Amino acid sequence: PMVTPKRRSQRDDAGQTLRRVFAAGAGLTALIVIVAIVAGAVSLSRLTEARERLLDDIGPAVRANQSLEVALLNQETGIRGYALIGNPEFLSPYREGLTGGTAALAVLGDYLPARPEGVLVDDVARTLQAWQVGYAEPVIPTGTGSVAPDPTVGKTLFDAIRTPQGQLTALLDAERLIARDQLNSAADALLWVGIAIAVIIGAFLAAAAWGLRRGVLDPIAALADQVRGVVSGDVHREVRGSGPREIVELGADVDAMRVHI
């Protein structure tokens, strides 16, 4: 007898089409890629900002402050040695300290203009100038017979420098530690984002492979097995496809051909 194949709308077990499944898979792949790119870019941006803050902002200020400490020590020891012995050689570290201190204060002023540390830099510069004018500079002409200032005055004036300079050192050290922690945190975040992306991609590929086998390869293999049974002589065996709509329709067409033959 002649058998008319069922219309597509009348066929049973017609699920999603392969085109829709692959379109959904492509859309999900694109979404994962976009999320991975955005997450990686944000993490990398945070890492770059933290590195720039530590190396290009806090780092130069910390180094300048260390240079300032050395310059202040050179100035104080040079003047004290000259005041005690009167040897002009002691003025060399003092003059070197003047040059180094001026350069360090200039760097600190450039990097810390609008921060609380900027006020401390101004305080250091102000008290340093007071010590130089009130004690250091008057000590130098004593070799020509002038009277040297009282050392206790010099000590008092120099102690006034140590207070803001110590506070500046403490603040910069604290900011350096915070910036280092932020850099480490950003690096860890970037690492975890990379791990998460790798895990998600691996899980997606595993799920895609499982879905391809379960939804396409297994139904095709089952349909092929039924067709081979019919070819082998079992012409009364009904051929029925399963899975995506295309495979179901292919099975119905094959079964219609079997009945027709």
Side-chain angles (χ1 to χ4, degrees), residues 12-33:
D12 299 330
D13 301 331
Q16 291 292 334
T17 63
L18 287 175
R19 180 175 297 177
R20 291 181 180 177
V21 172
F22 284 122
L28 183 58
T29 301
L31 178 61
I32 291 176
V33 171

PDB file of all heavy atoms in Angstrom, residues 12-33:
ATOM      1  N   ASP A  12       5.068  13.175  15.932  1.00  0.00           N
ATOM      2  CA  ASP A  12       5.210  13.171  17.384  1.00  0.00           C
ATOM      3  C   ASP A  12       6.680  13.304  17.759  1.00  0.00           C
ATOM      4  O   ASP A  12       7.585  13.070  16.970  1.00  0.00           O
ATOM      5  CB  ASP A  12       4.639  11.880  17.977  1.00  0.00           C
ATOM      6  CG  ASP A  12       3.158  11.744  17.673  1.00  0.00           C
ATOM      7  OD1 ASP A  12       2.496  12.787  17.563  1.00  0.00           O
ATOM      8  OD2 ASP A  12       2.694  10.581  17.546  1.00  0.00           O
ATOM      9  N   ASP A  13       6.854  13.585  19.028  1.00  0.00           N
ATOM     10  CA  ASP A  13       8.206  13.648  19.611  1.00  0.00           C
ATOM     11  C   ASP A  13       9.103  14.628  18.864  1.00  0.00           C
ATOM     12  O   ASP A  13      10.309  14.408  18.719  1.00  0.00           O
ATOM     13  CB  ASP A  13       8.871  12.263  19.615  1.00  0.00           C
ATOM     14  CG  ASP A  13       8.062  11.263  20.413  1.00  0.00           C
ATOM     15  OD1 ASP A  13       7.384  11.696  21.351  1.00  0.00           O
ATOM     16  OD2 ASP A  13       8.104  10.064  20.080  1.00  0.00           O
ATOM     17  N   ALA A  14       8.507  15.649  18.310  1.00  0.00           N
ATOM     18  CA  ALA A  14       9.322  16.646  17.609  1.00  0.00           C
ATOM     19  C   ALA A  14       9.775  17.700  18.601  1.00  0.00           C
ATOM     20  O   ALA A  14       8.991  18.533  19.030  1.00  0.00           O
ATOM     21  CB  ALA A  14       8.506  17.280  16.484  1.00  0.00           C
ATOM     22  N   GLY A  15      11.051  17.641  18.994  1.00  0.00           N
ATOM     23  CA  GLY A  15      11.572  18.580  19.984  1.00  0.00           C
ATOM     24  C   GLY A  15      12.168  19.797  19.316  1.00  0.00           C
ATOM     25  O   GLY A  15      11.754  20.209  18.234  1.00  0.00           O
ATOM     26  N   GLN A  16      13.159  20.362  19.963  1.00  0.00           N
ATOM     27  CA  GLN A  16      13.822  21.528  19.414  1.00  0.00           C
ATOM     28  C   GLN A  16      14.608  21.152  18.160  1.00  0.00           C
ATOM     29  O   GLN A  16      15.114  20.046  18.017  1.00  0.00           O
ATOM     30  CB  GLN A  16      14.792  22.112  20.461  1.00  0.00           C
ATOM     31  CG  GLN A  16      14.107  22.733  21.657  1.00  0.00           C
ATOM     32  CD  GLN A  16      13.354  24.000  21.294  1.00  0.00           C
ATOM     33  OE1 GLN A  16      13.691  24.683  20.327  1.00  0.00           O
ATOM     34  NE2 GLN A  16      12.324  24.318  22.057  1.00  0.00           N
ATOM     35  N   THR A  17      14.714  22.116  17.255  1.00  0.00           N
ATOM     36  CA  THR A  17      15.496  21.863  16.049  1.00  0.00           C
ATOM     37  C   THR A  17      16.983  22.047  16.351  1.00  0.00           C
ATOM     38  O   THR A  17      17.380  22.752  17.292  1.00  0.00           O
ATOM     39  CB  THR A  17      15.085  22.843  14.940  1.00  0.00           C
ATOM     40  OG1 THR A  17      15.387  24.182  15.359  1.00  0.00           O
ATOM     41  CG2 THR A  17      13.599  22.727  14.634  1.00  0.00           C
ATOM     42  N   LEU A  18      17.793  21.388  15.540  1.00  0.00           N
ATOM     43  CA  LEU A  18      19.246  21.527  15.700  1.00  0.00           C
ATOM     44  C   LEU A  18      19.686  22.967  15.479  1.00  0.00           C
ATOM     45  O   LEU A  18      20.609  23.451  16.130  1.00  0.00           O
ATOM     46  CB  LEU A  18      19.966  20.602  14.713  1.00  0.00           C
ATOM     47  CG  LEU A  18      19.920  19.104  15.035  1.00  0.00           C
ATOM     48  CD1 LEU A  18      20.569  18.313  13.910  1.00  0.00           C
ATOM     49  CD2 LEU A  18      20.619  18.824  16.352  1.00  0.00           C
ATOM     50  N   ARG A  19      18.999  23.646  14.570  1.00  0.00           N
ATOM     51  CA  ARG A  19      19.360  25.040  14.308  1.00  0.00           C
ATOM     52  C   ARG A  19      19.186  25.895  15.556  1.00  0.00           C
ATOM     53  O   ARG A  19      20.041  26.708  15.881  1.00  0.00           O
ATOM     54  CB  ARG A  19      18.490  25.581  13.166  1.00  0.00           C
ATOM     55  CG  ARG A  19      18.788  27.032  12.805  1.00  0.00           C
ATOM     56  CD  ARG A  19      17.983  27.457  11.612  1.00  0.00           C
ATOM     57  NE  ARG A  19      18.355  26.662  10.427  1.00  0.00           N
ATOM     58  CZ  ARG A  19      17.757  26.791   9.248  1.00  0.00           C
ATOM     59  NH1 ARG A  19      16.771  27.665   9.084  1.00  0.00           N
ATOM     60  NH2 ARG A  19      18.141  26.058   8.222  1.00  0.00           N
ATOM     61  N   ARG A  20      18.078  25.681  16.269  1.00  0.00           N
ATOM     62  CA  ARG A  20      17.864  26.450  17.498  1.00  0.00           C
ATOM     63  C   ARG A  20      18.862  26.068  18.580  1.00  0.00           C
ATOM     64  O   ARG A  20      19.357  26.919  19.311  1.00  0.00           O
ATOM     65  CB  ARG A  20      16.440  26.229  17.998  1.00  0.00           C
ATOM     66  CG  ARG A  20      15.362  26.841  17.124  1.00  0.00           C
ATOM     67  CD  ARG A  20      13.993  26.585  17.702  1.00  0.00           C
ATOM     68  NE  ARG A  20      12.945  27.158  16.867  1.00  0.00           N
ATOM     69  CZ  ARG A  20      11.637  27.034  17.117  1.00  0.00           C
ATOM     70  NH1 ARG A  20      11.249  26.336  18.185  1.00  0.00           N
ATOM     71  NH2 ARG A  20      10.764  27.587  16.338  1.00  0.00           N
ATOM     72  N   VAL A  21      19.147  24.774  18.665  1.00  0.00           N
ATOM     73  CA  VAL A  21      20.104  24.323  19.680  1.00  0.00           C
ATOM     74  C   VAL A  21      21.478  24.927  19.427  1.00  0.00           C
ATOM     75  O   VAL A  21      22.134  25.451  20.341  1.00  0.00           O
ATOM     76  CB  VAL A  21      20.185  22.788  19.693  1.00  0.00           C
ATOM     77  CG1 VAL A  21      21.324  22.317  20.600  1.00  0.00           C
ATOM     78  CG2 VAL A  21      18.865  22.194  20.167  1.00  0.00           C
ATOM     79  N   PHE A  22      21.922  24.856  18.171  1.00  0.00           N
ATOM     80  CA  PHE A  22      23.234  25.409  17.857  1.00  0.00           C
ATOM     81  C   PHE A  22      23.245  26.930  17.974  1.00  0.00           C
ATOM     82  O   PHE A  22      24.258  27.522  18.364  1.00  0.00           O
ATOM     83  CB  PHE A  22      23.664  24.980  16.459  1.00  0.00           C
ATOM     84  CG  PHE A  22      24.122  23.556  16.380  1.00  0.00           C
ATOM     85  CD1 PHE A  22      23.500  22.660  15.530  1.00  0.00           C
ATOM     86  CD2 PHE A  22      25.164  23.099  17.170  1.00  0.00           C
ATOM     87  CE1 PHE A  22      23.910  21.340  15.469  1.00  0.00           C
ATOM     88  CE2 PHE A  22      25.584  21.782  17.107  1.00  0.00           C
ATOM     89  CZ  PHE A  22      24.960  20.894  16.257  1.00  0.00           C
ATOM     90  N   ALA A  23      22.118  27.583  17.662  1.00  0.00           N
ATOM     91  CA  ALA A  23      22.037  29.032  17.837  1.00  0.00           C
ATOM     92  C   ALA A  23      22.140  29.401  19.313  1.00  0.00           C
ATOM     93  O   ALA A  23      22.834  30.363  19.685  1.00  0.00           O
ATOM     94  CB  ALA A  23      20.738  29.567  17.241  1.00  0.00           C
ATOM     95  N   ALA A  24      21.432  28.613  20.159  1.00  0.00           N
ATOM     96  CA  ALA A  24      21.525  28.869  21.597  1.00  0.00           C
ATOM     97  C   ALA A  24      22.940  28.629  22.098  1.00  0.00           C
ATOM     98  O   ALA A  24      23.465  29.388  22.924  1.00  0.00           O
ATOM     99  CB  ALA A  24      20.534  27.973  22.343  1.00  0.00           C
ATOM    100  N   GLY A  25      23.579  27.564  21.592  1.00  0.00           N
ATOM    101  CA  GLY A  25      24.964  27.292  21.987  1.00  0.00           C
ATOM    102  C   GLY A  25      25.903  28.395  21.558  1.00  0.00           C
ATOM    103  O   GLY A  25      26.796  28.804  22.315  1.00  0.00           O
ATOM    104  N   ALA A  26      25.712  28.897  20.338  1.00  0.00           N
ATOM    105  CA  ALA A  26      26.557  29.995  19.860  1.00  0.00           C
ATOM    106  C   ALA A  26      26.336  31.256  20.683  1.00  0.00           C
ATOM    107  O   ALA A  26      27.288  31.979  21.024  1.00  0.00           O
ATOM    108  CB  ALA A  26      26.263  30.271  18.385  1.00  0.00           C
ATOM    109  N   GLY A  27      25.066  31.515  21.028  1.00  0.00           N
ATOM    110  CA  GLY A  27      24.783  32.691  21.863  1.00  0.00           C
ATOM    111  C   GLY A  27      25.400  32.572  23.236  1.00  0.00           C
ATOM    112  O   GLY A  27      25.974  33.543  23.770  1.00  0.00           O
ATOM    113  N   LEU A  28      25.313  31.371  23.832  1.00  0.00           N
ATOM    114  CA  LEU A  28      25.910  31.167  25.142  1.00  0.00           C
ATOM    115  C   LEU A  28      27.431  31.277  25.081  1.00  0.00           C
ATOM    116  O   LEU A  28      28.066  31.841  25.982  1.00  0.00           O
ATOM    117  CB  LEU A  28      25.504  29.795  25.684  1.00  0.00           C
ATOM    118  CG  LEU A  28      25.994  29.441  27.091  1.00  0.00           C
ATOM    119  CD1 LEU A  28      25.508  30.471  28.103  1.00  0.00           C
ATOM    120  CD2 LEU A  28      25.532  28.040  27.482  1.00  0.00           C
ATOM    121  N   THR A  29      28.011  30.764  23.997  1.00  0.00           N
ATOM    122  CA  THR A  29      29.462  30.887  23.818  1.00  0.00           C
ATOM    123  C   THR A  29      29.880  32.350  23.724  1.00  0.00           C
ATOM    124  O   THR A  29      30.858  32.781  24.350  1.00  0.00           O
ATOM    125  CB  THR A  29      29.895  30.134  22.555  1.00  0.00           C
ATOM    126  OG1 THR A  29      29.527  28.759  22.664  1.00  0.00           O
ATOM    127  CG2 THR A  29      31.398  30.226  22.366  1.00  0.00           C
ATOM    128  N   ALA A  30      29.138  33.119  22.936  1.00  0.00           N
ATOM    129  CA  ALA A  30      29.447  34.544  22.808  1.00  0.00           C
ATOM    130  C   ALA A  30      29.315  35.257  24.138  1.00  0.00           C
ATOM    131  O   ALA A  30      30.142  36.117  24.494  1.00  0.00           O
ATOM    132  CB  ALA A  30      28.529  35.188  21.767  1.00  0.00           C
ATOM    133  N   LEU A  31      28.274  34.887  24.916  1.00  0.00           N
ATOM    134  CA  LEU A  31      28.084  35.511  26.226  1.00  0.00           C
ATOM    135  C   LEU A  31      29.244  35.187  27.159  1.00  0.00           C
ATOM    136  O   LEU A  31      29.757  36.079  27.859  1.00  0.00           O
ATOM    137  CB  LEU A  31      26.765  35.031  26.835  1.00  0.00           C
ATOM    138  CG  LEU A  31      26.435  35.563  28.236  1.00  0.00           C
ATOM    139  CD1 LEU A  31      26.311  37.087  28.206  1.00  0.00           C
ATOM    140  CD2 LEU A  31      25.149  34.928  28.752  1.00  0.00           C
ATOM    141  N   ILE A  32      29.678  33.932  27.158  1.00  0.00           N
ATOM    142  CA  ILE A  32      30.802  33.545  28.015  1.00  0.00           C
ATOM    143  C   ILE A  32      32.063  34.290  27.605  1.00  0.00           C
ATOM    144  O   ILE A  32      32.830  34.775  28.460  1.00  0.00           O
ATOM    145  CB  ILE A  32      31.014  32.018  27.935  1.00  0.00           C
ATOM    146  CG1 ILE A  32      29.849  31.283  28.608  1.00  0.00           C
ATOM    147  CG2 ILE A  32      32.328  31.623  28.596  1.00  0.00           C
ATOM    148  CD1 ILE A  32      29.932  29.778  28.489  1.00  0.00           C
ATOM    149  N   VAL A  33      32.295  34.414  26.304  1.00  0.00           N
ATOM    150  CA  VAL A  33      33.482  35.124  25.831  1.00  0.00           C
ATOM    151  C   VAL A  33      33.436  36.594  26.233  1.00  0.00           C
ATOM    152  O   VAL A  33      34.435  37.167  26.697  1.00  0.00           O
ATOM    153  CB  VAL A  33      33.602  34.984  24.300  1.00  0.00           C
ATOM    154  CG1 VAL A  33      34.695  35.904  23.758  1.00  0.00           C
ATOM    155  CG2 VAL A  33      33.907  33.537  23.915  1.00  0.00           C
TER     156      VAL A  33
END
